[in-house]
Amino acid sequence: MDLHCLSTIDCNQGAVRAVRFNVDGSYCLTCGSDKKLKLWNPYRSLLLKTYGGHGNEVLDACGSCDSSQIVSCSSDKSVIIWDVSTGQPLRRLRGHAATVSCVKYNEESTIVVSGSFDNTVMCWDIKSRSQNPIQTLKDAKDCITSLQVTDHEILTGSVDCTFRRYDLRNGSCDADFVAAAITSVSFSHDGQCILVSSADNTVRLFDKSSGEMLGEYVGHRTDDINIESAIITNDNFVLSGSISGELWCWDLINAKVVNKLVHNVGKVLNSLSIHPKEDVVLTSSVGTIKIWGQPKEDIKIEDGP
Amino acid sequence: MSDSEEESFCYFGKPLDPYDEDAFPKKKPISVEEQIATDAQGRRRFHGAFTGGFSAGFYNTVGSLEGWIPSEFKSSRQEKAKNVAQKPEDFMDEEDIGEHGIAPQTVRATDDFSTAKKKKKTVSNRLIKALIFPDGPIPGDPVLQTLLTSGNETVGYLLLKNIGIQEKISKQEEELNSPETKIYGCQMPTQYKVSKNVENKQYQIPTIYKEFLEKPKSNTFGLGYEGLDKSHINLFQSSSLVMKDKNNKKVSISGQAFGVGAFEDEDDDIYVKEDMSKYDFELTKEKASNKQQSDSSSLLFGMFKHSKVPLILKKLYLTPKIPHSFSGKHKVRKSRFEPIIEESTPLDRKEINPAIRARYLGENTEKTYTTSKPIVESTSENNEIIGKKENEEEHSPKKDFDISSSFISDRFVSASQKEDISNILEPVQKTEILHGTVEMREAARMKMFGLLTRITTDWHPCAILCKRFNVPEPFLESDHIGFGLKKKTKKRTKNLIFEYQKHTEVEGPLKPGLSTRSNEEDKLVTPNMNLKDTIDSTESCTLTEPVMDSQQEDKQTNPQPVVEVNILDLESLPKDITEKVNVAEKLDLFKAVFLSSSESEDEEDNSKEGNDEAHRTEELKINILSDHLLPKIKPIKEGILSNVNFHEFFKPKKNVEETTTNSEDQSPFVQSCNDLEEAQIDSYGPRLPIEKMEIKGVSKFTVLSSNSEDEWVEKRKTDKRKKSKNKRKHKKREA
């Protein structure tokens, strides 16, 4: 575990609510509290485009599989699909009754799944012109805080202390109860485990099929703040943000703290994003984002698309 | 005349040659009448008739000597007539365009070179232009131009400058504005002397303005214009020009109606008669001049008089007093004899509070209502009111907004606390909602995640979602999306081999080897039989139709042995109740794949366990339910597996035939086993006692033979779906 800060970008868009890699990890999106969404080349600290049109803070975003579209969600209860090159909103999906907190594309970017504080998860068909969601999942008893979509699953984390995995193949829903409000859910890269961080300052690793706990990672503090966690690309380390502005790294197997990378002392490190192929991590804290990775790989990355 | 006075004049034009008195005049001086202005052709330019006249045409006629020639219309192939827009110049003579003409054309700098135009343009504009077009060897303003630019003073400015009025004015202004004039504020230093002539100095308005200040222009005519004087009335004789107005009013006109020739003096007013006022009757000095002198001292600014008439004070009238009873609305005075009109003004909806509403509805409610109460408090009583109101007001088109039926109902949670209206500022107490059951929480606390904390439910993703995710729909037979009961059932059987495989994967780990698989197959069958009571209605529905068909058939032929065979089969197997119900659908698959092996196994099994059969069948008897609940055992599928099926089917048939031909001395068990396999594919029916099984013998062949053939035909009948048909065809082709 050897991550170094490659660069720091001051996004200049208020607090950065979320930072996300695109599908191949060559660009990243930052969601600002100033209602703007920004597209960056994080390796060169280059601002590529700004997307304005939301009526309130942008809370989450996701790039499509062909990088031609971006979907973002906001406190203005709407989900917007953007054209990357023109910067114009293609569609505005209004169906949620409250702040939309998380949004994801499916594998082929034909469906947008959005989770909201109105306790629902909505699935929108991007290929049709319909303004209504094709399906609404109303199982959660409290706000949806986090969302993941794979080729056949939808994973949601909710404040009702439960994370739910909807399996489209089997037509089943596994609701696993965790004692505290869930702030972040994510899959391991082999797709067999689920990493769940909750408001009781704990990150837990669950087995997907049985729901048994495989590991518990503690030491950091998150309190009530919505802080994200993830498993790094090689599935060896667990990463989580913290209230103290450090990026905590645990060994996945023995659950020991390996490293603590300081982003912004005293300020909350709320969002992080893992590069889809390499061991590169993006973190965001207040108004800045940082990219962490191996310095020697610089050339390799920069030569990327 | 002093020199200074001469200096104040300015000269225009060339001075005349000094007049030599000694020299004789060479020529007779031209009389005024003969001094005529001519144009370039020597024609007389001005004519005496009117002021302002000038020559036109040919000696003041139109066109030429021959007269005016209208332009001809000419159009030929070579020269096509053009639609020419006429310009004023077409009607002008040359001299009109000349220097002294009415439209003089002079050589002027074009827009590009005229400095006047450039001046008008804003500086910024010029700068931009210079920046954008830094043409030429020297950037910026052309040097030559800057050298050649003249002072762009207007003619008016030059005239006034020549008069010297500016200097005069500036001089006076200087004097006025000199610091000696007026000083306010601090006390003067003692050594400072105030010049004495300061007080006397008064601003002298230039005389050229005085005329206009004294006689302000009241009309819109040009300066100095005097039109016809309508007001002049001759006292002694009416003028020759008398007109009658519209209102029969006499209007006499005098004065100059037309212009006077340029060379003639203006005539005396020949129409004017003597007026006595023109005469002086006293032999005194000219009063006017004296008056003026005396007045000048009292003039303000040399021209304003003090008015002698005091200003008339405007009379102010008080506003009328409005009687206090006045409301501004018109009231029809009521007559005593008019019938009293009942006031039936409908109450405003907003004004009706629940109490009034209750009164209208004839409801007795002691409870006092407040407008804003939490929904928690208004419980049954309110609901009753609403219910009654709805009943009574059914005729009203407005429908009450029913929260419970609206789609957003599940987004709201009823308040757990009462709201205290009297104290709004009181902070709302935090309510802690405990999610999950007690057991779950306990398990989570103990870190025993897994079975205890997991709730697995069926979830029905909608068709489009599955399509977009490239996943087959998990619940094909159900239309209902989401959780809950499967309301509608569809006979949609997808002939996908992989689907069945998937389900088996879910149900349990596969064991290698064919024998075990067959065993598993049996396992899957057994619950179906045993759990008939528990089979939910939907499942039974899906099965009813095909089963009925098969049953009918069975009954027609010989139902009894078939049933028996099934029972036999079941007996030999361990019971497993935990499996899923939809196994029945997969039966044919298993059958198709594993039939031969299972047959052989069963044969052995049956022969071994023949003794136990009797009492086991008895057990099962109890379990077996009514006919319609029996699952189908028809092969649902065709296509890929059909080949296999046929292949398998043929073999046992041969066997059976052999056995039958070999006569009945073979053990009935063996035969029954053979039958069993066939019958299993086919159908179920009421069970027969064991004794009868031995008898069945030959009769079975018909069943079997009919089985394979008839079944396929029937299957096609049941498969009405186009989709499945297509698929089948496709598969057949593949096969």
Side-chain angles (χ1 to χ4, degrees), chain B residues 467-486:
Chain B
K467 199 177 160 190
R468 295 272 181 267
F469 271 83
N470 288 330
V471 166
E473 281 181 66
F475 299 93
L476 273 173
E477 69 277 4
S478 166
D479 257 2
H480 192 75
I481 291 161
F483 296 102
L485 290 168
K486 305 166 195 172

Side-chain angles (χ1 to χ4, degrees), chain A residues 169-204:
Chain A
R169 279 192 199 154
N170 289 328
S172 63
C173 168
D174 296 331
D176 286 88
F177 181 79
V178 183
I182 288 160
T183 58
S184 168
V185 287
S186 56
F187 280 107
S188 62
H189 285 78
D190 63 354
Q192 294 305 309
C193 303
I194 296 168
L195 190 74
V196 176
S197 36
S198 51
D200 57 352
N201 303 327
T202 314
V203 180
R204 293 183 181 89

Side-chain angles (χ1 to χ4, degrees), chain B residues 486-531:
Chain B
K486 305 166 195 172
K487 282 175 186 170
K488 221 178 174 182
T489 54
K490 268 190 187 175
K491 280 196 298 168
R492 189 159 29 148
T493 47
K494 250 195 178 177
N495 301 331
L496 279 176
I497 188 166
F498 306 105
E499 234 177 292
Y500 292 105
Q501 278 183 339
K502 187 195 76 195
H503 281 286
T504 52
E505 274 171 19
V506 172
E507 274 147 18
L510 280 173
K511 286 162 200 167
L514 281 171
S515 59
T516 48
R517 281 199 184 194
S518 70
N519 213 7
E520 192 186 307
E521 171 227 333
D522 293 333
K523 263 188 203 171
L524 298 171
V525 178
T526 39
N528 216 341
M529 306 298 286
N530 292 339
L531 280 170

Side-chain angles (χ1 to χ4, degrees), chain A residues 41-45 278 297-305:
Chain A
N41 182 336
Y43 311 107
R44 296 195 180 121
S45 306
E278 293 160 46
E297 284 180 47
D298 273 8
I299 308 142
K300 202 177 153 191
I301 295 160
E302 284 191 13
D303 281 352

Side-chain angles (χ1 to χ4, degrees), chain A residues 90-148:
Chain A
L90 297 172
R91 290 185 66 193
R92 196 182 276 262
L93 306 168
R94 294 172 221 263
H96 282 294
T99 296
V100 189
S101 54
C102 44
V103 71
K104 284 279 182 297
Y105 269 116
N106 73 333
E107 205 178 31
E108 292 187 344
S109 303
T110 50
I111 295 278
V112 162
V113 184
S114 61
S116 164
F117 286 1
D118 64 1
N119 307 358
T120 64
V121 173
M122 285 184 179
C123 304
W124 310 84
D125 188 4
I126 301 308
K127 287 196 161 182
S128 79
R129 306 284 299 163
S130 167
Q131 282 295 308
N132 298 318
I134 52 169
Q135 191 163 9
T136 307
L137 317 177
K138 297 177 180 177
D139 312 303
K141 307 289 185 297
D142 213 326
C143 305
I144 306 290
T145 53
S146 182
L147 180 77
Q148 294 293 335

Side-chain angles (χ1 to χ4, degrees), chain A residues 97 106 108 110-111 118 122-123 125 127 134-135 137-139 141-142 149-152 159-160 166-179 204 206 208-213 216, chain B residues 407-408 410-411 413 433 435-437 440-441 444-445 447 449-451 453-475 481-483 502 506 580:
Chain A
N106 73 333
E108 292 187 344
T110 50
I111 295 278
D118 64 1
M122 285 184 179
C123 304
D125 188 4
K127 287 196 161 182
I134 52 169
Q135 191 163 9
L137 317 177
K138 297 177 180 177
D139 312 303
K141 307 289 185 297
D142 213 326
V149 179
T150 67
D151 57 341
H152 69 284
V159 181
D160 66 359
Y166 299 89
D167 194 323
L168 277 104
R169 279 192 199 154
N170 289 328
S172 63
C173 168
D174 296 331
D176 286 88
F177 181 79
V178 183
R204 293 183 181 89
F206 288 95
K208 187 174 86 175
S209 52
S210 67
E212 284 163 10
M213 193 172 79
E216 205 173 18
Chain B
F407 73 104
I408 45 164
D410 52 350
R411 306 248 178 114
V413 179
I433 304 156
H435 293 285
T437 59
M440 274 176 148
R441 264 176 271 142
R445 199 176 57 79
K447 292 182 183 176
F449 295 100
L451 276 174
T453 56
R454 170 165 281 196
I455 300 166
T456 305
T457 40
D458 275 359
W459 174 62
H460 292 240
C462 74
I464 309 166
L465 197 67
C466 290
K467 199 177 160 190
R468 295 272 181 267
F469 271 83
N470 288 330
V471 166
E473 281 181 66
F475 299 93
I481 291 161
F483 296 102
K502 187 195 76 195
V506 172
K580 279 196 174 177

